[in-house]
Amino acid sequence: MLRWLLVVFLALVLINGLAPWLRRWGFGRLPGDLRFRLGGREWDIPLASTLLLSWLVSLLARWL
């Protein structure tokens, strides 16, 4: 359980750090990506982008 929490935390930190670069490529603006304002703060939930990146990484892992 602790290992999964660590993996999820590191993935979120990595995605958050790469978000500006990925946004230039169109990730985060796909249909299915949610963006809303709540409590004076802007929230992004990139569901479609996460699925697409996960699929690409799994293809890369199978290829290697």
Side-chain angles (χ1 to χ4, degrees):
M1 174 87 173
L2 185 61
R3 187 182 318 171
W4 280 108
L5 287 174
L6 182 63
V7 168
V8 169
F9 175 75
L10 290 176
L12 288 173
V13 168
L14 181 67
I15 290 171
N16 192 28
L18 294 175
W21 182 74
L22 289 172
R23 212 168 267 135
R24 279 188 256 154
W25 286 79
F27 292 101
R29 291 183 283 157
L30 297 173
D33 292 339
L34 304 173
R35 179 178 230 162
F36 57 93
R37 188 171 205 92
L38 182 66
R41 185 164 185 215
E42 188 122 354
W43 296 86
D44 291 322
I45 302 176
L47 296 175
S49 295
T50 302
L51 289 174
L52 181 63
L53 287 174
S54 174
W55 181 71
L56 290 173
V57 169
S58 69
L59 283 178
L60 181 66
R62 278 192 186 169
W63 185 67
L64 294 176

Coordinates of all heavy atoms in Angstrom, one line a residue:
M1 N 0.8 -1.2 0.0 CA 0.0 0.0 0.0 C 0.9 1.3 0.0 O 0.6 2.2 -0.7 CB -0.9 0.0 1.2 CG -1.7 1.2 1.4 SD -3.2 1.0 0.5 CE -4.1 2.5 1.1
L2 N 1.9 1.2 0.8 CA 2.8 2.4 0.9 C 3.5 2.6 -0.5 O 3.7 3.8 -0.9 CB 3.8 2.2 2.0 CG 4.7 3.4 2.3 CD1 3.9 4.6 2.7 CD2 5.7 3.0 3.3
R3 N 3.9 1.5 -1.1 CA 4.5 1.7 -2.4 C 3.6 2.3 -3.4 O 4.1 3.2 -4.2 CB 4.9 0.3 -2.9 CG 5.8 0.3 -4.2 CD 6.2 -1.0 -4.7 NE 6.5 -1.9 -3.7 CZ 6.7 -3.2 -3.9 NH1 6.6 -3.7 -5.1 NH2 7.0 -4.0 -2.9
W4 N 2.3 2.0 -3.5 CA 1.4 2.6 -4.4 C 1.2 4.1 -4.1 O 1.1 4.9 -5.0 CB 0.1 1.8 -4.4 CG 0.1 0.6 -5.2 CD1 0.1 -0.7 -4.8 CD2 0.2 0.5 -6.7 NE1 0.2 -1.5 -5.8 CE2 0.3 -0.8 -7.0 CE3 0.3 1.5 -7.7 CZ2 0.3 -1.3 -8.3 CZ3 0.3 1.0 -9.0 CH2 0.4 -0.3 -9.3
L5 N 1.1 4.4 -2.9 CA 1.0 5.8 -2.5 C 2.2 6.6 -3.0 O 2.1 7.7 -3.5 CB 0.8 6.0 -1.0 CG -0.6 5.6 -0.5 CD1 -0.6 5.6 1.1 CD2 -1.7 6.4 -1.0
L6 N 3.4 6.0 -2.8 CA 4.6 6.7 -3.2 C 4.6 6.9 -4.8 O 5.0 7.9 -5.3 CB 5.8 5.9 -2.8 CG 7.2 6.5 -3.1 CD1 7.3 7.9 -2.4 CD2 8.3 5.6 -2.7
V7 N 4.2 5.8 -5.5 CA 4.2 5.9 -7.0 C 3.2 6.9 -7.4 O 3.5 7.7 -8.3 CB 3.8 4.5 -7.6 CG1 3.5 4.6 -9.0 CG2 5.0 3.6 -7.3
V8 N 2.0 7.0 -6.8 CA 1.0 8.0 -7.2 C 1.5 9.4 -6.9 O 1.3 10.3 -7.7 CB -0.4 7.7 -6.5 CG1 -1.3 8.9 -6.7 CG2 -1.0 6.4 -7.0
F9 N 2.1 9.6 -5.8 CA 2.6 10.9 -5.4 C 3.7 11.3 -6.4 O 3.7 12.5 -6.8 CB 3.2 10.8 -4.0 CG 3.9 12.1 -3.6 CD1 3.1 13.2 -3.2 CD2 5.3 12.2 -3.5 CE1 3.7 14.4 -2.9 CE2 5.9 13.4 -3.1 CZ 5.1 14.5 -2.8
L10 N 4.6 10.5 -6.7 CA 5.7 10.8 -7.6 C 5.2 11.1 -9.0 O 5.6 12.0 -9.7 CB 6.8 9.7 -7.7 CG 7.6 9.6 -6.4 CD1 8.5 8.4 -6.6 CD2 8.4 10.8 -6.2
A11 N 4.1 10.3 -9.5 CA 3.5 10.6 -10.8 C 2.8 11.9 -10.8 O 3.0 12.7 -11.8 CB 2.5 9.5 -11.1
L12 N 2.1 12.3 -9.7 CA 1.5 13.6 -9.7 C 2.5 14.7 -9.7 O 2.3 15.8 -10.3 CB 0.6 13.7 -8.4 CG -0.7 12.9 -8.5 CD1 -1.4 12.9 -7.1 CD2 -1.6 13.3 -9.6
V13 N 3.6 14.6 -9.0 CA 4.6 15.6 -9.0 C 5.3 15.7 -10.4 O 5.5 16.9 -10.8 CB 5.7 15.3 -7.9 CG1 7.0 16.1 -8.1 CG2 5.2 15.4 -6.5
L14 N 5.5 14.6 -11.0 CA 6.1 14.6 -12.4 C 5.1 15.3 -13.4 O 5.5 16.2 -14.2 CB 6.4 13.2 -12.8 CG 7.1 13.1 -14.2 CD1 8.4 13.7 -14.2 CD2 7.1 11.6 -14.6
I15 N 3.9 14.9 -13.3 CA 2.9 15.5 -14.2 C 2.7 17.0 -14.0 O 2.6 17.8 -14.9 CB 1.5 14.8 -14.1 CG1 1.7 13.4 -14.7 CG2 0.4 15.5 -14.8 CD1 0.5 12.5 -14.5
N16 N 2.7 17.4 -12.7 CA 2.6 18.8 -12.4 C 3.8 19.6 -12.8 O 3.6 20.7 -13.3 CB 2.4 19.0 -10.8 CG 2.0 20.3 -10.5 OD1 1.3 21.0 -11.2 ND2 2.4 20.8 -9.3
G17 N 4.9 19.0 -12.8 CA 6.1 19.7 -13.2 C 6.2 19.8 -14.8 O 6.7 20.8 -15.3
L18 N 5.6 18.8 -15.4 CA 5.7 18.8 -16.9 C 4.4 19.4 -17.5 O 4.3 19.5 -18.7 CB 5.8 17.4 -17.4 CG 7.1 16.7 -17.1 CD1 7.0 15.2 -17.6 CD2 8.3 17.4 -17.8
A19 N 3.5 19.9 -16.7 CA 2.2 20.4 -17.2 C 2.3 21.6 -18.2 O 1.7 21.6 -19.2 CB 1.3 20.8 -16.1
P20 N 3.2 22.6 -17.9 CA 3.3 23.7 -18.9 C 3.9 23.2 -20.2 O 3.4 23.6 -21.3 CB 4.3 24.6 -18.2 CG 4.2 24.3 -16.8 CD 3.9 22.9 -16.7
W21 N 4.8 22.3 -20.2 CA 5.4 21.8 -21.4 C 4.4 20.9 -22.2 O 4.2 21.0 -23.4 CB 6.6 21.0 -21.1 CG 7.3 20.4 -22.3 CD1 8.1 21.1 -23.2 CD2 7.3 19.1 -22.8 NE1 8.5 20.3 -24.2 CE2 8.0 19.0 -23.9 CE3 6.7 17.9 -22.3 CZ2 8.2 17.8 -24.6 CZ3 6.9 16.7 -23.0 CH2 7.6 16.7 -24.1
L22 N 3.6 20.1 -21.4 CA 2.6 19.2 -22.1 C 1.5 20.0 -22.6 O 0.9 19.6 -23.6 CB 2.1 18.2 -21.1 CG 3.1 17.1 -20.7 CD1 2.5 16.3 -19.5 CD2 3.4 16.2 -21.8
R23 N 1.1 21.1 -22.0 CA 0.0 22.0 -22.5 C 0.3 22.6 -23.8 O -0.6 22.8 -24.7 CB -0.3 23.1 -21.5 CG -1.7 23.4 -21.4 CD -2.1 24.3 -20.3 NE -2.6 23.4 -19.2 CZ -2.2 23.5 -17.9 NH1 -1.4 24.5 -17.6 NH2 -2.6 22.7 -17.0
R24 N 1.6 22.9 -24.1 CA 2.0 23.4 -25.4 C 1.8 22.3 -26.5 O 1.6 22.6 -27.7 CB 3.5 23.8 -25.4 CG 3.7 25.1 -24.8 CD 5.1 25.6 -25.0 NE 5.7 25.4 -23.7 CZ 7.0 25.2 -23.5 NH1 7.8 25.2 -24.6 NH2 7.5 25.1 -22.3
W25 N 1.8 21.0 -26.2 CA 1.6 19.9 -27.1 C 0.1 19.6 -27.2 O -0.2 18.7 -28.0 CB 2.4 18.7 -26.7 CG 3.8 18.9 -27.0 CD1 4.7 19.6 -26.2 CD2 4.5 18.4 -28.1 NE1 6.0 19.5 -26.8 CE2 5.9 18.8 -27.9 CE3 4.2 17.6 -29.2 CZ2 6.8 18.5 -28.9 CZ3 5.2 17.3 -30.1 CH2 6.5 17.7 -29.9
G26 N -0.8 20.2 -26.4 CA -2.2 20.0 -26.5 C -2.8 19.1 -25.4 O -4.0 19.0 -25.3
F27 N -1.9 18.6 -24.5 CA -2.4 17.8 -23.4 C -3.0 18.7 -22.4 O -2.5 19.8 -22.1 CB -1.3 17.0 -22.8 CG -0.8 15.9 -23.7 CD1 0.4 16.0 -24.4 CD2 -1.5 14.7 -23.9 CE1 0.8 15.0 -25.3 CE2 -1.1 13.7 -24.7 CZ 0.1 13.9 -25.4
G28 N -4.1 18.3 -21.8 CA -4.8 19.2 -20.8 C -5.9 20.0 -21.5 O -6.7 20.6 -20.8
R29 N -6.0 19.9 -22.8 CA -7.0 20.6 -23.5 C -7.8 19.6 -24.4 O -8.5 20.0 -25.3 CB -6.5 21.7 -24.4 CG -5.9 22.9 -23.6 CD -5.4 23.9 -24.4 NE -4.1 23.5 -25.0 CZ -3.5 24.0 -26.1 NH1 -4.2 24.8 -26.8 NH2 -2.4 23.5 -26.5
L30 N -7.7 18.4 -24.1 CA -8.5 17.3 -24.8 C -9.9 17.3 -24.3 O -10.2 17.6 -23.2 CB -7.8 16.0 -24.7 CG -6.4 15.8 -25.2 CD1 -5.8 14.5 -24.8 CD2 -6.3 16.0 -26.7
P31 N -10.8 16.8 -25.2 CA -12.2 16.5 -24.7 C -12.1 15.5 -23.6 O -11.5 14.5 -23.7 CB -12.9 16.0 -25.9 CG -12.1 16.4 -27.1 CD -10.7 16.5 -26.6
G32 N -12.7 15.8 -22.5 CA -12.6 14.9 -21.3 C -11.7 15.4 -20.2 O -11.7 14.9 -19.1
D33 N -11.0 16.5 -20.5 CA -10.2 17.1 -19.5 C -11.0 18.2 -18.8 O -11.6 19.1 -19.5 CB -8.9 17.8 -20.1 CG -7.9 16.7 -20.6 OD1 -8.0 15.6 -20.1 OD2 -7.1 17.1 -21.4
L34 N -11.1 18.2 -17.5 CA -11.9 19.2 -16.8 C -11.1 20.3 -16.3 O -10.0 20.1 -15.8 CB -12.7 18.5 -15.7 CG -13.5 17.2 -16.1 CD1 -14.0 16.6 -14.8 CD2 -14.6 17.6 -17.0
R35 N -11.7 21.5 -16.4 CA -11.0 22.7 -15.8 C -12.1 23.6 -15.3 O -13.1 23.9 -16.0 CB -10.3 23.5 -16.9 CG -9.6 24.7 -16.4 CD -8.8 25.4 -17.4 NE -7.5 25.6 -16.8 CZ -6.4 25.9 -17.5 NH1 -6.4 25.9 -18.8 NH2 -5.3 26.1 -16.9
F36 N -12.0 23.9 -14.0 CA -13.1 24.7 -13.3 C -12.5 25.6 -12.2 O -11.3 25.3 -11.8 CB -14.2 23.8 -12.8 CG -13.7 22.8 -11.8 CD1 -13.8 23.0 -10.5 CD2 -13.3 21.5 -12.3 CE1 -13.4 22.1 -9.6 CE2 -12.9 20.6 -11.3 CZ -13.0 20.9 -10.0
R37 N -13.2 26.6 -11.8 CA -12.8 27.5 -10.8 C -13.6 27.2 -9.6 O -14.9 27.2 -9.6 CB -13.0 28.9 -11.3 CG -12.4 29.9 -10.4 CD -12.4 31.3 -11.1 NE -11.4 32.1 -10.5 CZ -10.2 32.2 -11.0 NH1 -9.8 31.6 -12.0 NH2 -9.3 33.0 -10.4
L38 N -13.0 27.0 -8.4 CA -13.7 26.7 -7.2 C -12.9 27.4 -6.0 O -11.7 27.1 -5.9 CB -13.8 25.2 -6.9 CG -14.5 24.7 -5.7 CD1 -16.0 25.1 -5.8 CD2 -14.4 23.2 -5.6
G39 N -13.6 28.2 -5.2 CA -12.9 28.8 -4.1 C -11.8 29.8 -4.5 O -10.9 29.9 -3.8
G40 N -12.0 30.4 -5.6 CA -11.0 31.4 -6.1 C -9.7 30.8 -6.6 O -8.7 31.5 -6.9
R41 N -9.8 29.5 -6.9 CA -8.6 28.8 -7.4 C -9.0 28.0 -8.7 O -10.1 27.5 -8.7 CB -8.1 27.8 -6.4 CG -6.8 27.2 -6.8 CD -6.1 26.6 -5.6 NE -4.8 26.0 -6.1 CZ -4.3 25.0 -5.7 NH1 -4.8 24.3 -4.7 NH2 -3.2 24.5 -6.2
E42 N -8.1 27.9 -9.6 CA -8.4 27.1 -10.8 C -7.9 25.7 -10.6 O -6.8 25.4 -10.2 CB -7.6 27.8 -12.0 CG -8.0 27.2 -13.3 CD -8.5 28.2 -14.3 OE1 -8.7 29.4 -13.9 OE2 -8.7 27.8 -15.4
W43 N -8.8 24.8 -11.0 CA -8.5 23.3 -10.8 C -8.5 22.6 -12.2 O -9.4 22.9 -13.0 CB -9.6 22.7 -9.9 CG -9.6 23.2 -8.5 CD1 -10.2 24.3 -8.1 CD2 -8.9 22.6 -7.4 NE1 -10.0 24.5 -6.7 CE2 -9.1 23.4 -6.3 CE3 -8.0 21.6 -7.3 CZ2 -8.6 23.2 -5.1 CZ3 -7.5 21.3 -6.0 CH2 -7.8 22.1 -4.9
D44 N -7.5 21.8 -12.4 CA -7.5 21.0 -13.6 C -7.6 19.5 -13.3 O -6.9 19.1 -12.4 CB -6.1 21.2 -14.3 CG -6.0 22.6 -14.9 OD1 -7.0 23.1 -15.4 OD2 -4.9 23.1 -14.9
I45 N -8.4 18.8 -14.0 CA -8.5 17.4 -13.9 C -8.3 16.8 -15.3 O -9.3 16.7 -16.0 CB -9.8 16.9 -13.2 CG1 -10.0 17.6 -11.9 CG2 -9.9 15.4 -13.1 CD1 -11.3 17.3 -11.2
P46 N -7.1 16.4 -15.6 CA -6.8 16.0 -17.0 C -7.1 14.5 -17.2 O -6.2 13.7 -17.4 CB -5.4 16.3 -17.2 CG -4.8 16.1 -15.8 CD -5.9 16.6 -14.9
L47 N -8.4 14.1 -17.2 CA -8.7 12.7 -17.4 C -8.3 12.1 -18.7 O -7.6 11.1 -18.8 CB -10.2 12.5 -17.2 CG -10.8 12.8 -15.8 CD1 -12.3 12.7 -15.8 CD2 -10.2 12.0 -14.7
A48 N -8.7 12.7 -19.8 CA -8.4 12.2 -21.1 C -6.9 12.2 -21.4 O -6.3 11.3 -22.0 CB -9.1 13.0 -22.2
S49 N -6.2 13.3 -21.0 CA -4.8 13.4 -21.2 C -4.0 12.3 -20.4 O -3.1 11.7 -20.9 CB -4.3 14.8 -20.7 OG -4.8 15.8 -21.6
T50 N -4.5 12.0 -19.2 CA -3.9 11.0 -18.4 C -4.0 9.6 -19.0 O -3.1 8.8 -19.0 CB -4.5 11.0 -16.9 OG1 -4.3 12.3 -16.4 CG2 -3.8 9.9 -16.1
L51 N -5.2 9.3 -19.5 CA -5.4 8.1 -20.2 C -4.6 7.9 -21.4 O -4.0 6.9 -21.7 CB -6.9 7.9 -20.6 CG -7.8 7.7 -19.4 CD1 -9.3 7.7 -19.9 CD2 -7.5 6.4 -18.7
L52 N -4.5 9.0 -22.2 CA -3.6 9.0 -23.4 C -2.1 8.8 -23.1 O -1.5 8.0 -23.7 CB -3.8 10.3 -24.2 CG -3.1 10.4 -25.5 CD1 -3.5 9.3 -26.5 CD2 -3.3 11.8 -26.1
L53 N -1.7 9.5 -22.1 CA -0.2 9.4 -21.7 C 0.0 8.0 -21.1 O 1.1 7.4 -21.4 CB 0.1 10.5 -20.7 CG 0.3 11.9 -21.2 CD1 0.5 12.9 -20.1 CD2 1.4 11.9 -22.3
S54 N -0.9 7.5 -20.4 CA -0.7 6.1 -19.8 C -0.7 5.1 -21.0 O 0.1 4.2 -20.9 CB -1.9 5.8 -18.9 OG -1.9 4.5 -18.5
W55 N -1.5 5.3 -22.0 CA -1.5 4.4 -23.1 C -0.2 4.4 -23.9 O 0.4 3.4 -24.2 CB -2.7 4.7 -24.0 CG -2.8 3.8 -25.2 CD1 -3.2 2.5 -25.2 CD2 -2.5 4.2 -26.5 NE1 -3.2 2.0 -26.5 CE2 -2.8 3.1 -27.3 CE3 -2.1 5.4 -27.1 CZ2 -2.6 3.1 -28.7 CZ3 -2.0 5.4 -28.5 CH2 -2.2 4.2 -29.3
L56 N 0.3 5.7 -24.1 CA 1.6 5.8 -24.8 C 2.7 5.2 -24.0 O 3.6 4.6 -24.6 CB 1.8 7.3 -25.0 CG 0.9 8.0 -26.1 CD1 1.2 9.5 -26.1 CD2 1.2 7.4 -27.4
V57 N 2.7 5.4 -22.7 CA 3.8 4.8 -21.9 C 3.8 3.3 -21.9 O 4.8 2.6 -21.9 CB 3.8 5.4 -20.4 CG1 4.7 4.6 -19.5 CG2 4.1 6.9 -20.5
S58 N 2.6 2.7 -21.8 CA 2.4 1.3 -21.9 C 2.9 0.7 -23.2 O 3.5 -0.3 -23.3 CB 1.0 0.8 -21.6 OG 0.1 1.2 -22.6
L59 N 2.6 1.4 -24.3 CA 3.1 1.0 -25.6 C 4.6 1.1 -25.7 O 5.3 0.2 -26.2 CB 2.5 1.9 -26.7 CG 1.1 1.6 -27.1 CD1 0.7 2.6 -28.2 CD2 0.9 0.2 -27.6
L60 N 5.2 2.1 -25.1 CA 6.6 2.2 -25.1 C 7.3 1.1 -24.2 O 8.3 0.6 -24.6 CB 7.0 3.6 -24.5 CG 8.5 3.9 -24.4 CD1 9.1 4.0 -25.8 CD2 8.7 5.2 -23.7
A61 N 6.6 0.8 -23.1 CA 7.2 -0.2 -22.2 C 7.1 -1.6 -22.9 O 8.0 -2.4 -22.8 CB 6.4 -0.3 -20.9
R62 N 6.1 -1.9 -23.7 CA 6.0 -3.1 -24.4 C 7.0 -3.2 -25.5 O 7.5 -4.3 -25.8 CB 4.6 -3.3 -25.0 CG 3.6 -3.8 -24.0 CD 2.3 -4.2 -24.8 NE 1.3 -4.5 -23.8 CZ 0.1 -4.7 -24.0 NH1 -0.3 -4.6 -25.3 NH2 -0.7 -5.0 -23.1
W63 N 7.3 -2.1 -26.1 CA 8.2 -2.0 -27.2 C 9.6 -2.3 -26.7 O 10.4 -2.9 -27.4 CB 8.1 -0.7 -28.0 CG 8.9 -0.6 -29.2 CD1 8.8 -1.3 -30.3 CD2 10.1 0.2 -29.3 NE1 9.8 -1.0 -31.2 CE2 10.6 0.0 -30.6 CE3 10.7 1.1 -28.5 CZ2 11.7 0.6 -31.1 CZ3 11.8 1.8 -29.0 CH2 12.3 1.5 -30.3
L64 N 9.9 -1.8 -25.6 CA 11.3 -1.9 -25.0 C 11.3 -3.3 -24.4 O 12.2 -4.0 -24.2 CB 11.6 -0.8 -24.0 CG 11.7 0.6 -24.5 CD1 11.9 1.5 -23.4 CD2 12.8 0.7 -25.5

